[in-house]
Amino acid sequence: MLGVSEQKVLFEYGKGLTKYGIAKRISQEIRNNSYVNLGIGIPTLVANYIPNEINVMLQSENGLLGIGPFPTEENVDADLINAGKQTVTMQKGSSLFDSAESFAMIRGEHVDLTILGAMEVSENGDIANWKIPGKMVKGMGGAMDLVASAKNIIVAMQHVSKDGKSKLLKNCTLPITGLNCVKKIVTELAVIEVLPDGGFVLLELAPGITKEQVIKATEAPIIISPNLSEMKL
């Protein structure tokens, strides 16, 4: 399923991953014969990096099952869009259906993995990704259903905000989307696991990034895995 973004720059040594690097690292978490929902933003890029030998059905909450990578200019179909209003391709055997049936799939726990963006994640695995107080929101979307129903949830996000504040916190400060649900986080700096009983564990570092940089960028305490390694992209 490698698509048009495979030639993009994945990281800048010592500074961290690009959004394409985050997406490619997360693609390594997808298991064969699984059903996966990709959220808006960086998660949609994951479709471009799924290895050809992996059989996966990508689901979009607006009623698509069997999404392929982003189209080239030559094969854009304006009628095929994901939940983020981006044009997509469809694999052989794909299905189109209404939103009610799509959410029945989600709420029925038929999605194995959900990959979401986030504005904040707490050490307990709480996620905030749908609203910033004082800013207009057109709707909460399907994130609350997804985090309440998926068997596994991975977050793709920036480790710190534009003003340098950590987004991996002891407690979320923004309105909560879901409680105790996030299992793993991939940022421009690191791969971090969220323990079942709470707590961050540093598993992998982006090329050229040090554990000291990650500790400094993380508000909550973080455990260093004894098997800490550099990401393989």
Side-chain angles (χ1 to χ4, degrees), residues 19 38-46 48 60 62 64 67-71 76-89:
K19 60 183 180 180
L38 302 179
I40 295 170
I42 295 175
T44 61
L45 299 174
V46 173
N48 291 328
S60 183
N62 60 320
L64 310 179
I67 301 169
F70 286 128
V76 168
D77 184 341
D79 290 326
L80 290 177
I81 60 169
N82 61 21
K85 301 180 177 63
Q86 299 166 305
T87 54
V88 295
T89 60

Side-chain angles (χ1 to χ4, degrees), residues 1 47 58-60 64-69 82 88-91 94:
M1 290 180 66
L58 298 180
Q59 194 256 15
S60 183
L64 310 179
L65 185 65
I67 301 169
N82 61 21
V88 295
T89 60
M90 302 298 288
Q91 296 178 287
S94 60

Side-chain angles (χ1 to χ4, degrees), residues 18-67:
T18 64
K19 60 183 180 180
Y20 305 105
I22 292 174
K24 187 167 186 181
R25 174 59 189 82
I26 289 178
S27 72
Q28 298 172 20
E29 300 292 324
I30 295 177
R31 299 294 172 254
N32 197 33
N33 298 321
S34 60
Y35 291 82
V36 179
N37 181 284
L38 302 179
I40 295 170
I42 295 175
T44 61
L45 299 174
V46 173
N48 291 328
Y49 297 103
I50 299 173
N52 292 326
E53 64 271 17
I54 294 292
N55 177 45
V56 59
M57 294 295 285
L58 298 180
Q59 194 256 15
S60 183
E61 63 211 57
N62 60 320
L64 310 179
L65 185 65
I67 301 169

Side-chain angles (χ1 to χ4, degrees), residues 5-6 8-12 16-22 24 49 233:
S5 293
E6 62 180 313
K8 300 291 187 179
V9 174
L10 300 178
F11 64 90
E12 187 173 352
L17 305 181
T18 64
K19 60 183 180 180
Y20 305 105
I22 292 174
K24 187 167 186 181
Y49 297 103
L233 299 169

